Amino acid sequence: MPARSALAAALGAAALLCAAVAPAVADPTESVTIDRTGHVAKDGTITLSGTYRCTGATGMAFVSSTVSQGDRTSVYPVGGTAAQCDGAEHRWENTSKISPNPLKAGKAHVQVTVTELRSGGLLLLPAFHAVEDQDITLAQE
């Protein structure tokens, strides 16, 4: 089997494995919050922030966020922050420049996830520590 076909088969199997794995129930002491106001600059830079708390990570963990407006059919990733899963509350702030800028000041929807990448043999598998969905206001900078 050519290397490209083998790689495609492995990635396809990984995608099916991730889709088949039910999300684990997060520890009730783990959480993530989203500040009620985010910021959008004229150049399309979006800044979102909040707090998180996670424990027991054995792999690399991070806080990722997405934002959408209107009918939520277009969702835009907004950066990622390394997470320190030591049980203490920490601040997170994610910033990304979205170009061309489809987002405007006003109501928006944000989803934030604290995710750890754990070794699963040859693959890194996601382990979710906390997820939050919230409507916010994007303020023009």
Side-chain angles (χ1 to χ4, degrees):
M1 176 182 292
R4 180 174 272 177
S5 296
L7 180 59
L11 290 175
L16 287 173
L17 176 64
C18 288
V21 175
V25 176
D27 182 322
T29 63
E30 297 185 315
S31 62
V32 63
T33 68
I34 305 164
D35 291 343
R36 294 194 179 277
T37 303
H39 300 279
V40 57
K42 290 179 183 180
D43 70 354
T45 300
I46 304 292
T47 302
L48 304 171
S49 58
T51 63
Y52 73 92
R53 179 188 316 264
C54 58
T55 60
T58 57
M60 185 174 81
F62 54 95
V63 180
S64 60
S65 56
T66 61
V67 63
S68 61
Q69 280 186 320
D71 64 5
R72 299 185 191 169
T73 57
S74 295
V75 178
Y76 302 94
V78 181
T81 303
Q84 189 175 357
C85 293
D86 59 5
E89 185 174 86
H90 298 278
R91 294 276 312 155
W92 65 269
E93 182 177 287
N94 291 346
T95 301
S96 285
K97 185 174 181 178
I98 301 172
S99 182
N101 183 16
L103 302 170
K104 307 295 180 219
K107 292 182 180 182
H109 184 78
V110 173
Q111 182 179 68
V112 178
T113 306
V114 180
T115 307
E116 173 188 358
L117 295 177
R118 291 185 181 159
S119 177
L122 295 175
L123 302 173
L124 292 176
L125 300 175
F128 301 100
H129 287 262
V131 177
E132 182 66 30
D133 282 279
Q134 183 175 309
D135 290 328
I136 69 162
T137 300
L138 287 177
Q140 186 72 48
E141 288 185 341

